[in-house]
Amino acid sequence: MPHDELTPYLRDRWSPRVFDPTHELADDELRLLLQAARWSPSAGNTQRWAFLVGRRGDATFTTIQEQLSKGNAGWVANVSAVVVVCFQTGAAPEDQETPYLDLAEYDAGQTAAHLTVQAASMGLHVHQFAGFDHEGVAAAFGVPDHWRVATGVAIGRVGDPATSEVHEKKRSERKPLEEIAYAGSWGTPFA
Ligand SMILES: Cc1cc2nc3c(=O)[nH]c(=O)nc-3n(C[C@H](O)[C@H](O)[C@H](O)COP(=O)(O)O)c2cc1C
Protein backbone atom coordinates (compact mmCIF):
# COMPACT_ATOMS: atom_id res chain seq x y z
CA MET A 1 0.00 0.00 0.00
CA PRO A 2 1.68 3.20 -1.13
CA HIS A 3 1.93 6.13 1.21
CA ASP A 4 3.17 8.63 -1.35
CA GLU A 5 0.52 11.18 -0.51
CA LEU A 6 1.45 11.61 3.13
CA THR A 7 3.09 14.84 4.14
CA PRO A 8 6.78 14.37 3.21
CA TYR A 9 7.77 14.62 6.89
CA LEU A 10 5.90 11.37 7.49
CA ARG A 11 6.34 9.80 4.06
CA ASP A 12 10.12 10.06 4.21
CA ARG A 13 10.43 9.15 7.87
CA TRP A 14 12.12 5.89 8.73
CA SER A 15 14.47 4.68 11.43
CA PRO A 16 17.98 4.50 10.03
CA ARG A 17 20.82 2.64 11.70
CA VAL A 18 23.52 4.39 9.70
CA PHE A 19 24.01 7.92 11.02
CA ASP A 20 26.65 10.46 10.08
CA PRO A 21 29.21 10.40 12.91
CA THR A 22 30.51 13.85 11.97
CA HIS A 23 27.16 15.59 12.24
CA GLU A 24 26.63 17.85 15.23
CA LEU A 25 23.38 19.25 16.45
CA ALA A 26 23.46 22.96 17.28
CA ASP A 27 22.11 24.10 20.67
CA ASP A 28 19.20 25.85 18.99
CA GLU A 29 18.28 22.77 16.98
CA LEU A 30 18.27 20.54 20.03
CA ARG A 31 16.15 23.05 21.95
CA LEU A 32 13.70 23.25 19.05
CA LEU A 33 13.32 19.47 19.01
CA LEU A 34 12.62 19.53 22.74
CA GLN A 35 10.11 22.33 22.23
CA ALA A 36 8.26 20.11 19.76
CA ALA A 37 8.07 17.41 22.44
CA ARG A 38 7.06 19.96 25.08
CA TRP A 39 4.16 21.25 23.01
CA SER A 40 2.60 17.83 22.56
CA PRO A 41 -0.96 17.42 23.80
CA SER A 42 -1.59 15.46 26.98
CA ALA A 43 -4.61 14.34 28.98
CA GLY A 44 -5.80 17.34 30.98
CA ASN A 45 -2.53 19.05 29.97
CA THR A 46 -0.88 17.12 32.80
CA GLN A 47 2.45 16.82 30.91
CA ARG A 48 3.66 13.89 32.98
CA TRP A 49 6.87 13.57 30.99
CA ALA A 50 10.53 14.43 31.39
CA PHE A 51 13.59 14.02 29.21
CA LEU A 52 17.22 13.08 29.72
CA VAL A 53 19.14 14.88 26.99
CA GLY A 54 22.62 13.97 25.81
CA ARG A 55 24.73 15.05 22.90
CA ARG A 56 27.31 12.68 21.41
CA GLY A 57 30.42 12.85 23.55
CA ASP A 58 28.94 14.56 26.60
CA ALA A 59 28.51 12.97 30.04
CA THR A 60 24.76 12.31 29.69
CA PHE A 61 25.19 10.65 26.30
CA THR A 62 28.06 8.51 27.59
CA THR A 63 26.08 7.37 30.63
CA ILE A 64 23.16 6.35 28.39
CA GLN A 65 25.59 4.60 26.03
CA GLU A 66 26.86 2.46 28.90
CA GLN A 67 23.35 1.03 29.35
CA LEU A 68 22.69 0.13 25.70
CA SER A 69 21.95 -3.40 24.50
CA LYS A 70 24.54 -5.03 22.24
CA GLY A 71 22.24 -4.59 19.25
CA ASN A 72 21.94 -0.85 19.77
CA ALA A 73 25.42 0.07 20.99
CA GLY A 74 27.00 0.13 17.52
CA TRP A 75 24.64 2.43 15.68
CA VAL A 76 23.71 4.71 18.60
CA ALA A 77 27.40 5.65 18.95
CA ASN A 78 27.12 7.68 15.73
CA VAL A 79 23.95 9.65 16.40
CA SER A 80 24.14 13.35 17.24
CA ALA A 81 21.92 13.31 20.31
CA VAL A 82 19.83 11.00 22.44
CA VAL A 83 16.72 11.96 24.36
CA VAL A 84 15.43 9.43 26.89
CA VAL A 85 11.70 9.87 27.44
CA CYS A 86 10.43 9.29 30.99
CA PHE A 87 6.91 9.42 32.37
CA GLN A 88 5.27 9.62 35.78
CA THR A 89 3.75 6.40 37.13
CA GLY A 90 2.78 7.33 40.68
CA ALA A 91 2.06 10.19 43.03
CA ALA A 92 4.86 12.45 44.21
CA PRO A 93 4.93 12.86 48.01
CA GLU A 94 3.37 16.33 47.68
CA ASP A 95 0.62 15.23 45.25
CA GLN A 96 -2.95 15.29 46.64
CA GLU A 97 -4.39 13.93 43.42
CA THR A 98 -2.92 12.44 40.28
CA PRO A 99 -5.47 12.81 37.51
CA TYR A 100 -4.82 11.06 34.20
CA LEU A 101 -1.87 9.12 35.55
CA ASP A 102 -3.04 6.10 33.56
CA LEU A 103 -2.55 8.10 30.36
CA ALA A 104 0.97 9.31 31.09
CA GLU A 105 2.64 6.58 29.03
CA TYR A 106 0.40 7.33 26.06
CA ASP A 107 1.19 11.02 26.36
CA ALA A 108 4.93 10.42 26.64
CA GLY A 109 4.93 8.39 23.44
CA GLN A 110 3.29 11.26 21.70
CA THR A 111 6.13 13.59 22.64
CA ALA A 112 8.49 11.33 20.73
CA ALA A 113 6.19 11.41 17.72
CA HIS A 114 6.11 15.20 17.74
CA LEU A 115 9.87 15.42 18.09
CA THR A 116 10.21 13.01 15.17
CA VAL A 117 8.11 15.14 12.82
CA GLN A 118 9.95 18.30 13.89
CA ALA A 119 13.24 16.51 13.19
CA ALA A 120 12.03 15.54 9.72
CA SER A 121 11.25 19.19 9.00
CA MET A 122 14.87 19.99 9.87
CA GLY A 123 16.37 17.35 7.58
CA LEU A 124 17.12 15.05 10.50
CA HIS A 125 16.16 11.45 11.26
CA VAL A 126 15.05 9.81 14.47
CA HIS A 127 15.38 6.20 15.57
CA GLN A 128 13.65 5.26 18.79
CA PHE A 129 15.02 2.39 20.87
CA ALA A 130 13.90 0.44 23.91
CA GLY A 131 16.89 -1.90 23.92
CA PHE A 132 18.79 -0.64 26.95
CA ASP A 133 18.87 -1.26 30.68
CA HIS A 134 16.01 0.95 31.82
CA GLU A 135 16.72 0.41 35.49
CA GLY A 136 20.38 1.14 34.89
CA VAL A 137 19.50 4.48 33.31
CA ALA A 138 17.05 5.27 36.13
CA ALA A 139 19.74 4.55 38.73
CA ALA A 140 22.48 6.45 36.90
CA PHE A 141 20.38 9.61 36.64
CA GLY A 142 18.49 9.40 39.92
CA VAL A 143 15.08 9.05 38.26
CA PRO A 144 12.54 9.13 41.14
CA ASP A 145 10.69 5.91 42.02
CA HIS A 146 7.37 7.32 40.85
CA TRP A 147 8.76 7.83 37.35
CA ARG A 148 9.63 5.30 34.68
CA VAL A 149 12.17 5.38 31.89
CA ALA A 150 10.35 4.65 28.61
CA THR A 151 12.41 4.85 25.42
CA GLY A 152 15.45 6.41 23.88
CA VAL A 153 15.05 8.74 20.91
CA ALA A 154 18.21 8.90 18.80
CA ILE A 155 18.55 11.92 16.52
CA GLY A 156 21.00 12.64 13.75
CA ARG A 157 21.72 12.97 10.08
CA VAL A 158 21.53 9.89 7.89
CA GLY A 159 24.98 8.51 7.05
CA ASP A 160 26.40 6.69 4.07
CA PRO A 161 26.00 2.90 4.32
CA ALA A 162 28.89 2.48 1.86
CA THR A 163 31.40 3.99 4.29
CA SER A 164 29.84 2.96 7.59
CA GLU A 165 30.76 -0.08 9.65
CA VAL A 166 27.11 -0.22 10.74
CA HIS A 167 24.83 -2.52 8.77
CA GLU A 168 21.66 -0.85 7.47
CA LYS A 169 18.42 -2.82 7.54
CA LYS A 170 15.72 -3.10 4.90
CA ARG A 171 12.88 -0.59 5.08
CA SER A 172 10.00 -1.93 7.11
CA GLU A 173 6.48 -2.74 5.88
CA ARG A 174 3.13 -2.21 7.54
CA LYS A 175 0.00 -4.27 8.09
CA PRO A 176 -2.75 -3.45 5.59
CA LEU A 177 -5.22 -0.79 6.71
CA GLU A 178 -8.06 -3.36 6.55
CA GLU A 179 -6.37 -5.28 9.34
CA ILE A 180 -6.17 -2.36 11.74
CA ALA A 181 -9.00 0.09 10.97
CA TYR A 182 -12.51 -1.12 11.80
CA ALA A 183 -16.03 0.21 11.53
CA GLY A 184 -19.36 -1.23 12.61
CA SER A 185 -17.81 -3.90 14.77
CA TRP A 186 -14.38 -5.01 15.87
CA GLY A 187 -12.63 -6.72 13.00
CA THR A 188 -14.87 -5.36 10.26
CA PRO A 189 -12.63 -3.33 7.96
CA PHE A 190 -13.31 0.36 7.69
CA ALA A 191 -14.51 0.77 4.11
C1 LIG B 1 9.12 2.01 21.44
C2 LIG B 1 10.08 1.62 20.35
C3 LIG B 1 11.17 0.82 20.66
C4 LIG B 1 12.11 0.49 19.67
N1 LIG B 1 13.25 -0.19 20.03
C5 LIG B 1 14.21 -0.38 19.10
C6 LIG B 1 15.48 -0.91 19.49
O1 LIG B 1 15.75 -1.19 20.66
N2 LIG B 1 16.42 -1.06 18.50
C7 LIG B 1 16.18 -0.73 17.19
O2 LIG B 1 17.08 -0.87 16.36
N3 LIG B 1 14.99 -0.21 16.82
C8 LIG B 1 14.01 -0.01 17.73
N4 LIG B 1 12.83 0.57 17.36
C9 LIG B 1 12.60 0.94 15.95
C10 LIG B 1 11.54 0.07 15.31
O3 LIG B 1 12.05 -1.23 15.12
C11 LIG B 1 11.10 0.72 14.00
O4 LIG B 1 10.50 1.96 14.26
C12 LIG B 1 10.09 -0.19 13.26
O5 LIG B 1 10.71 -1.36 12.82
C13 LIG B 1 9.49 0.52 12.06
O6 LIG B 1 10.49 0.94 11.20
P1 LIG B 1 10.58 2.45 10.70
O7 LIG B 1 10.64 3.32 11.94
O8 LIG B 1 11.85 2.52 9.88
O9 LIG B 1 9.36 2.73 9.88
C14 LIG B 1 11.90 0.91 18.33
C15 LIG B 1 10.78 1.72 18.02
C16 LIG B 1 9.89 2.08 19.02
C17 LIG B 1 8.72 2.98 18.67
Side-chain angles (χ1 to χ4, degrees), residues 13-15 72 75 127-131 151 172 174:
R13 185 214 63 79
W14 59 291
S15 303
N72 289 331
W75 66 266
H127 189 153
Q128 297 179 52
F129 58 92
T151 47
S172 59
R174 290 297 186 272

Side-chain angles (χ1 to χ4, degrees), residues 99-177:
Y100 302 114
L101 203 55
D102 56 331
L103 291 167
E105 186 166 13
Y106 179 95
D107 292 341
Q110 196 153 204
T111 67
H114 280 228
L115 189 157
T116 299
V117 176
Q118 179 64 37
S121 78
M122 296 159 67
L124 299 166
H125 273 74
V126 164
H127 189 153
Q128 297 179 52
F129 58 92
F132 63 95
D133 183 341
H134 293 222
E135 284 171 14
V137 166
F141 289 97
V143 175
D145 287 346
H146 59 289
W147 282 74
R148 213 163 84 207
V149 171
T151 47
V153 178
I155 307 154
R157 192 165 67 192
V158 169
D160 179 2
T163 58
S164 177
E165 74 289 357
V166 176
H167 174 68
E168 193 52 273
K169 286 194 175 157
K170 269 205 217 141
R171 299 287 176 96
S172 59
E173 288 295 330
R174 290 297 186 272
K175 294 176 184 175
L177 203 49

Side-chain angles (χ1 to χ4, degrees), residues 44-117:
N45 200 23
T46 42
Q47 305 167 65
R48 299 187 187 284
W49 51 56
F51 309 103
L52 299 166
V53 185
R55 235 184 309 199
R56 193 179 59 248
D58 75 12
T60 300
F61 189 97
T62 305
T63 302
I64 295 165
Q65 256 187 316
E66 287 164 2
Q67 305 298 332
L68 293 173
S69 67
K70 257 195 188 161
N72 289 331
W75 66 266
V76 174
N78 294 334
V79 308
S80 310
V82 164
V83 173
V84 173
V85 179
C86 306
F87 64 97
Q88 195 179 343
T89 54
E94 67 278 13
D95 283 343
Q96 304 291 324
E97 290 176 33
T98 49
Y100 302 114
L101 203 55
D102 56 331
L103 291 167
E105 186 166 13
Y106 179 95
D107 292 341
Q110 196 153 204
T111 67
H114 280 228
L115 189 157
T116 299
V117 176

